[in-house]
Amino acid sequence: MSVTIKIDHALKKFGENTVIQDLSLSVREGEFFTLLGSSGCGKTTLLRMIAGFNTIEGGDFYFNEKRINDMPPHKRKIGMVFQNYAIFPHMDTFGNVAFGLKEQHVKEPELSRRVNEILDTVQISELRDRMPKNMSGGQQQRIALARAIVIEPDVLLMDEPLSNLDAKLRVEMRTAIKRIQNACKITTIYVTHDQEEALAISDRIAVMKKGEIQQVGTPMEIYQHPSNLFVATFIGQSSLLDATAVRSAGETAVKLFDGSVMRIPGMREDVPEEEVLKLCVRPNEFRFDSAGIEATVFERVFFGDAIRYTLTLNNGQNIEMKQDIHLPMAQVGEAVHVAFNVDVVNVFRASDEVSVMKDVIHA
Amino acid sequence: MKKRRLDGWALITGLCFLFFLFFFLYPISRTLLNSIYDFTTGTFTLASFQKFFTKRYYTNTIWNSLKVTSLATLSTTFFGTTLAYLARTVKIKGKRVLDIVMLISVLSPPFIGAYSWIVLLGRAGVITNIINSLFGIQFQGIYGFSGILLVFTIKLSPLVYLYVSGALKNLDNSLNEAAESMGCTRIRKIFRIILPLILPTMLASALLVFMRALADFGTPMLIGEGYRTLPVLIYNSFVGEVTQDYSFASAISVIIVAFTTVIFLLQKYISGRVSIEMNAMNPLEPKKAMGVSNVLTHAYAYLFIILELLPIIVVAYNSFQNTQGTMFVEGFSLNSYIKAFSTMGSSIANTYLYSIIALAIILVIGILVSYSTIRRPSALTAILDTIIMFPYIIPGSVLGISMLLAFNHPPLTISGTAIIIIVAYVVRRLPYTIRSSSAILRQISTSVEEASQSLGASPTSTFGKVTVPMMISGVLPGALMSWMSIISELSASIMLYVGSTKTMTIAIYTEVIRGNYGVASALSTILICSTVLVLMIFFKLTGRTEIEL
């Protein structure tokens, strides 16, 4: 059985040091929810508060309607996958996976049936009787996942489970995790610092910084409509262009640092004139054009399917541009003009770095 | 190029092999032979074993030794492990004091405990008198079996504590949390997760306790009274006031070594089966306990601090008391120290001189042997690696007799010199140093040495400029431990000393036997202070707060 998770005004202190101040969040039933942020942002702290391994200094945590603040971890019906897997080194694969079931007094033959079934699901049946000693990271990871899922928890908690794996295995495992979660529909909270991983795996993402949630949304919402500058630059790559708000033909428009004026369709009309702004442009939204911003090619890097340019603008700033290899190329040192797709840029107030776009859902 | 390098290390390995062959294997084999072969008549005989096994007087000794050693092993393992677990999981005020007291207790001379507990709980002991006057009973003090067991338990629990505490440090808290998240908590968690994971360490430390207790000569000699154990029997039959029976002493040695070998192999077999590698990313965090359990935990920890400190306090106190003959009298002074320096000055100098020479030799051989066995493995290094561990199972008194019997006549007559004592120290401590150096060397990636060679350094200068400096910080703590255990060594040196090569531990022992408690206390205090001073310098210099055994 899966649950909804609701967190109201959570507070976490380590001694005098406040790590999380007043954080609220709700996770839907069966959802794959990711806490994303750089190290030290409080994401693991929050996860461990949900698990019950960290104390809660303030606020309320609910699984469905049940308040769990004072419930010990083993009563919360959670399954947890640890960053370093935490495989019991003195038990074989079967022993590890069966551990939680034995604690629930599940008897044979059901015990073996359920363990074997889950080992099939995570595709490590052939490791059933082996000790974890010489297993690869990926294999240990699968045991950890099987061990957490086999007890059919209400909530599955994963703390950077893929961070110790190599790049290729990481992609393979995240697909596996997503597929397994889809199949068993357990409400899952997943912690990671890898934005690409978060985008690929999550139903919804909460981007965190310094103990505060910056934005909650689907991967697409977060990528396309970041609510502030931090989210825009943390998720994916962006170049920032200086601009100010102006009135042009009775409508709100922006004047770029080089004097050119353009209308941004998605921008709110109520932005006051002279407001200092930052335009945020993804590398693939730039293109070479006959007119546009003047720039010089500083560096060119070949990526196989694309070419990545670093361009130096007249004001000395560098911007990143990514282009399909079939398009005409520019040489290093060449003077060029670049334009960008105004339909997909995001605009932020420079003063508080908050988005001034219409479609943004704020946290 | 390659050949020359190979030859250099082969030569070093060969020399170390010869050293060990000559100074360890040869004397030990001679002793084994001596137990069944009469060198004067040139005949084989089992008379010594027959003498041993047909007299109740002697067979009782085996039983005595085994009984007190086994019980001491059980009780120390219990106390040491429980204390280590509590100290790692519950926040204890003064945990650092506990750690340091435990360390000092492990490193203090073994028989100081026996002496102090006689002062406290002996026939005329301080505590004995209080108990007797309070309850109006005629408690005779602890001697014999109960006394030895008490002293062993107090003296050796810290050893288990330090080892198990180290193992718990490597236990990842995620394992704990994983178990808890699946509903396995409290006592069940301890038995299903924690105990199995620290079992190899518990067994290893239990083995050490067993070996030390079985081989301990000073404690049963002082507090045992009628309770005779094997090392006492060896000593008596060897330096016996009446007759010296070398072949009988050899026979007892054989019997002791048989026991230690069996125990050693048993421990190896069990830990080989349950061996687990651990590495904690998130170590256990001590948590504040509430109410009764908090009070009980603190009481338990403080009881141990007191029990471990008491002997040291008693010795230090006595050292400043005035004496008259063998009696302590009113008033305090430095008289005992003055007397100690004037009559035992050479033993103080000997202690530091011998121990430093021995340590230098141990470090050089230790680093060379561990390097050649790990980086230049060959058939010879494999053999060397195995036989160099043999001293683990040879009690000091057996080594002492063996060396004396082997080197008191040509081709090499070194009995009665400082050399024989230093060599005994080296042989006894070498296995520990080699083991720790090897462990450190395994952690140093060969790529660092390869980098050095790729930059043009020859293998020899790579060894000197890169490998040894990288090893030394890891070898240093072990070296300090070796030095501290050398200065409190008694059981081998008591067989090997003559008047001019007396060391402090021997002086303390002989002074206690003669009843010169003041001088003995002063010497003991100097010894303990040296240990504490070196420990403090070590912590200060390295910035560490713990020392790995």
Side-chain angles (χ1 to χ4, degrees):
Chain A
M1 196 208 62
S2 224
V3 298
T4 59
I5 301 169
K6 195 156 167 285
I7 301 169
D8 282 333
H9 308 293
L11 172 70
K12 177 69 210 172
K13 284 181 178 178
F14 288 113
E16 286 305 298
N17 182 17
T18 304
V19 181
I20 291 172
Q21 175 119 44
D22 193 22
L23 182 148
S24 297
L25 188 69
S26 57
V27 180
R28 297 168 194 150
E29 186 181 329
E31 187 173 41
F32 198 113
F33 192 92
T34 297
L35 299 175
L36 172 65
S38 43
S39 67
C41 75
K43 53 190 193 303
T44 296
T45 307
L46 184 64
L47 186 84
R48 291 169 59 82
M49 287 164 90
I50 299 170
F53 295 125
N54 278 353
T55 53
I56 298 166
E57 269 69 45
D60 300 296
F61 284 61
Y62 296 97
F63 285 179
N64 285 340
E65 275 74 48
K66 201 170 177 74
R67 189 170 178 276
I68 54 154
N69 282 41
D70 304 313
M71 200 185 267
H74 64 279
K75 297 252 167 76
R76 296 189 183 193
K77 299 191 82 175
I78 53 166
M80 185 143 174
V81 179
F82 295 82
Q83 185 172 11
N84 58 349
Y85 323 131
I87 301 297
F88 300 131
H90 58 302
M91 299 178 190
D92 61 9
T93 304
F94 185 90
N96 266 284
V97 177
F99 187 89
L101 292 175
K102 283 184 185 159
E103 286 303 317
Q104 292 175 3
H105 307 292
V106 173
K107 294 275 178 296
E108 293 288 5
E110 199 200 335
L111 181 78
S112 291
R113 183 185 59 75
R114 281 172 68 178
V115 172
N116 291 336
E117 208 175 271
I118 205 80
L119 291 180
D120 272 342
T121 311
V122 299
Q123 300 169 351
I124 45 165
S125 303
E126 73 281 5
L127 301 178
R128 189 179 183 273
D129 302 315
R130 280 193 26 205
M131 298 301 282
K133 208 173 180 178
N134 298 316
M135 287 188 197
S136 69
Q139 290 169 330
Q140 296 202 24
Q141 177 66 76
R142 284 170 195 269
I143 298 176
L145 188 61
R147 188 176 71 177
I149 296 175
V150 75
I151 53 175
E152 294 172 4
D154 289 350
V155 178
L156 182 60
L157 303 172
M158 299 203 230
D159 183 9
E160 305 231 15
L162 304 182
S163 62
N164 289 339
L165 301 180
D166 63 59
K168 205 170 167 210
L169 198 54
R170 202 148 55 207
V171 173
E172 190 187 312
M173 275 309 294
R174 80 180 181 210
T175 316
I177 289 176
K178 180 68 187 160
R179 234 176 250 152
I180 291 162
Q181 196 268 345
N182 258 334
C184 48
K185 277 288 160 217
I186 305 171
T187 310
T188 299
I189 298 189
Y190 187 95
V191 161
T192 183
H193 63 269
D194 181 340
Q195 43 104 8
E196 188 192 313
E197 188 176 300
L199 294 176
I201 206 169
S202 321
D203 291 328
R204 284 198 304 150
I205 299 171
V207 182
M208 290 181 71
K209 180 194 173 189
K210 291 183 183 164
E212 283 172 16
I213 290 181
Q214 304 293 311
Q215 186 174 13
V216 179
T218 64
M220 222 178 256
E221 281 165 0
I222 290 204
Y223 186 82
Q224 293 180 339
H225 307 291
S227 68
N228 62 33
L229 215 47
F230 173 77
V231 177
T233 49
F234 188 74
I235 312 278
Q237 265 199 314
S238 301
S239 296
L240 300 178
L241 302 176
D242 293 327
T244 45
V246 290
R247 301 292 290 178
S248 167
E251 289 180 301
T252 306
V254 298
K255 187 172 151 197
L256 275 189
F257 67 97
D258 65 347
S260 57
V261 173
M262 61 188 70
R263 221 184 95 66
I264 310 287
M267 198 170 116
R268 290 206 311 258
E269 286 296 325
D270 59 354
V271 181
E273 238 176 308
E274 297 299 307
E275 176 82 55
V276 183
L277 303 171
K278 293 263 184 201
L279 258 66
C280 174
V281 189
R282 302 283 186 199
N284 52 329
E285 304 299 346
F286 282 115
R287 62 173 190 277
F288 292 127
D289 208 338
S290 48
I293 308 166
E294 289 174 16
T296 317
V297 178
F298 175 67
E299 211 170 52
R300 194 173 80 170
V301 182
F302 178 62
F303 270 93
D305 55 345
I307 289 192
R308 202 166 186 116
Y309 295 97
T310 304
L311 307 174
T312 308
L313 304 180
N314 281 346
N315 63 355
Q317 186 193 353
N318 280 349
I319 60 168
E320 298 289 324
M321 164 171 169
K322 193 170 151 192
Q323 200 190 34
D324 194 282
I325 51 158
H326 301 301
L327 293 170
M329 298 179 196
Q331 304 301 318
V332 171
E334 197 180 327
V336 292
H337 288 273
V338 286
F340 53 85
N341 184 355
V342 291
D343 291 327
V344 291
V345 298
N346 280 282
V347 187
F348 303 90
R349 269 197 300 268
S351 56
D352 59 359
E353 303 193 341
V354 172
S355 173
V356 293
M357 305 301 287
K358 290 173 199 159
D359 295 336
V360 168
I361 308 147
H362 288 272
Chain B
M1 175 70 201
K2 197 177 177 195
K3 189 153 174 29
R4 208 178 65 207
R5 187 175 76 192
L6 210 68
D7 284 349
W9 282 106
L11 187 68
I12 286 166
T13 312
L15 283 176
C16 294
F17 191 80
L18 284 181
F19 175 87
F20 225 68
L21 204 65
F22 189 64
F23 284 113
F24 179 72
L25 285 187
Y26 163 65
I28 291 293
S29 338
R30 247 190 86 100
T31 300
L32 301 189
L33 191 60
N34 206 4
S35 68
I36 52 168
Y37 182 77
D38 192 331
F39 280 91
T40 45
T41 61
T43 49
F44 284 95
T45 167
L46 286 173
S48 299
F49 287 100
Q50 202 174 14
K51 177 177 165 193
F52 188 94
F53 283 109
T54 47
K55 290 207 175 139
R56 283 284 304 265
Y57 178 80
Y58 296 127
T59 49
N60 262 347
T61 317
I62 295 191
W63 175 234
N64 281 350
S65 263
L66 282 185
K67 193 164 71 173
V68 76
T69 305
S70 310
L71 278 173
T73 307
L74 284 180
S75 68
T76 50
T77 308
F78 174 79
F79 289 119
T81 305
T82 47
L83 189 61
Y85 180 74
L86 286 173
R88 281 272 177 220
T89 53
V90 179
K91 212 165 224 162
I92 294 173
K93 283 202 182 80
K95 156 106 188 340
R96 179 124 177 76
V97 176
L98 176 70
D99 285 345
I100 291 177
V101 167
M102 289 309 220
L103 196 53
I104 292 171
S105 183
V106 164
L107 295 170
S108 64
F111 47 90
I112 283 180
Y115 162 71
S116 301
W117 286 108
I118 291 174
V119 171
L120 294 167
L121 276 170
R123 216 155 273 120
V126 183
I127 303 177
T128 314
N129 286 342
I130 296 173
I131 293 175
N132 286 350
S133 60
L134 264 181
F135 301 105
I137 53 171
Q138 289 297 311
F139 175 51
Q140 282 303 305
I142 44 133
Y143 290 97
F145 172 77
S146 57
I148 299 174
L149 185 60
L150 178 88
V151 172
F152 278 169
T153 303
I154 291 171
K155 168 72 194 164
L156 296 169
S157 291
L159 196 66
V160 179
Y161 171 84
L162 292 170
Y163 271 96
V164 172
S165 190
L168 285 169
K169 198 172 130 197
N170 287 330
L171 193 137
D172 199 302
N173 198 26
S174 304
L175 296 174
N176 246 328
E177 292 177 345
E180 276 178 34
S181 74
M182 285 182 277
C184 182
T185 54
R186 290 162 189 279
I187 294 291
R188 281 175 58 72
K189 184 183 77 188
I190 292 175
F191 278 97
R192 288 201 60 187
I193 305 294
I194 293 175
L195 274 182
L197 291 177
I198 60 170
L199 188 66
T201 309
M202 281 172 67
L203 288 175
S205 54
L207 171 77
L208 267 181
V209 168
F210 188 92
M211 297 290 186
R212 284 206 190 181
L214 186 67
D216 192 342
F217 157 76
T219 305
M221 197 72 182
L222 291 177
I223 208 170
E225 297 207 328
Y227 199 82
R228 192 179 292 263
T229 64
L230 288 169
V232 177
L233 198 60
I234 294 187
Y235 179 78
N236 283 346
S237 59
F238 191 69
V239 298
E241 296 93 43
V242 197
T243 54
Q244 297 183 340
D245 191 339
Y246 290 173
S247 77
F248 187 60
S250 299
I252 306 166
S253 302
V254 170
I255 292 163
I256 294 192
V257 172
F259 275 120
T260 54
T261 308
V262 168
I263 296 290
F264 178 73
L265 291 177
L266 200 66
Q267 185 265 348
K268 262 212 124 68
Y269 172 73
I270 299 173
S271 10
R273 293 188 52 149
V274 297
S275 131
I276 290 155
E277 269 178 51
M278 290 193 296
N279 181 19
M281 271 173 52
N282 326 301
L284 291 176
E285 284 282 331
K287 292 204 182 85
K288 216 174 144 50
M290 294 295 167
V292 182
S293 56
N294 192 28
V295 173
L296 286 179
T297 307
H298 276 84
Y300 194 56
Y302 293 163
L303 175 72
F304 268 92
I305 294 182
I306 293 167
L307 286 179
E308 303 303 338
L309 273 184
L310 261 181
I312 296 172
I313 294 170
V314 167
V315 165
Y317 179 82
N318 280 353
S319 72
F320 292 108
Q321 270 185 305
N322 282 332
T323 55
Q324 198 168 49
T326 65
M327 301 288 288
F328 286 111
V329 293
E330 287 276 312
F332 298 94
S333 68
L334 290 175
N335 287 343
S336 291
Y337 286 92
I338 294 164
K339 205 167 155 200
F341 277 104
S342 62
T343 61
M344 297 291 161
S346 68
S347 77
I348 299 173
N350 285 347
T351 300
Y352 295 111
L353 185 67
Y354 299 171
S355 62
I356 286 168
I357 295 174
L359 188 65
I361 300 173
I362 290 171
L363 276 179
V364 171
I365 298 184
I367 289 177
L368 289 177
V369 169
S370 64
Y371 186 85
S372 66
T373 48
I374 291 193
R375 294 287 200 253
R376 309 267 188 273
S378 67
L380 190 61
T381 61
I383 299 170
L384 188 61
D385 197 39
T386 312
I387 63 161
I388 220 142
M389 292 300 148
F390 283 0
Y392 266 130
I393 54 168
I394 306 294
S397 37
V398 175
L399 182 70
I401 303 186
S402 303
M403 291 189 67
L404 195 53
L405 288 180
F407 301 119
N408 63 358
H409 53 77
L412 186 66
T413 315
I414 52 170
S415 64
T417 66
I419 299 171
I420 198 166
I421 294 183
I422 292 171
V423 169
Y425 288 160
V426 171
V427 169
R428 287 205 78 187
R429 286 307 303 184
L430 205 49
Y432 298 89
T433 306
I434 288 178
R435 216 188 213 191
S436 64
S437 315
S438 302
I440 288 145
L441 202 53
R442 277 196 198 94
Q443 287 169 5
I444 298 175
S445 160
T446 47
S447 58
V448 183
E449 287 158 58
E450 285 159 4
S452 160
Q453 292 190 25
S454 77
L455 295 170
S458 71
T460 317
S461 89
T462 296
F463 177 74
K465 288 181 184 158
V466 176
T467 315
V468 171
M470 282 178 74
M471 285 175 74
I472 208 81
S473 70
V475 173
L476 196 68
L480 281 179
M481 302 295 282
S482 288
W483 182 76
M484 289 183 249
S485 52
I486 288 172
I487 61 169
S488 58
E489 208 283 340
L490 175 69
S491 50
S493 41
I494 191 109
M495 307 284 182
L496 299 172
Y497 84 97
V498 292
S500 62
T501 61
K502 209 183 233 186
T503 61
M504 271 158 91
T505 43
I506 298 166
I508 296 167
Y509 172 75
T510 50
E511 291 308 287
V512 169
I513 294 292
R514 281 188 209 148
N516 292 333
Y517 297 125
V519 174
S521 297
L523 289 171
S524 302
T525 310
I526 295 171
L527 211 50
I528 293 170
C529 285
S530 309
T531 308
V532 174
L533 197 69
V534 168
L535 266 183
M536 272 163 53
I537 293 171
F538 171 76
F539 284 134
K540 193 90 197 157
L541 284 184
T542 59
R544 297 190 202 204
T545 54
E546 283 178 64
I547 191 167
E548 305 264 327
L549 288 182

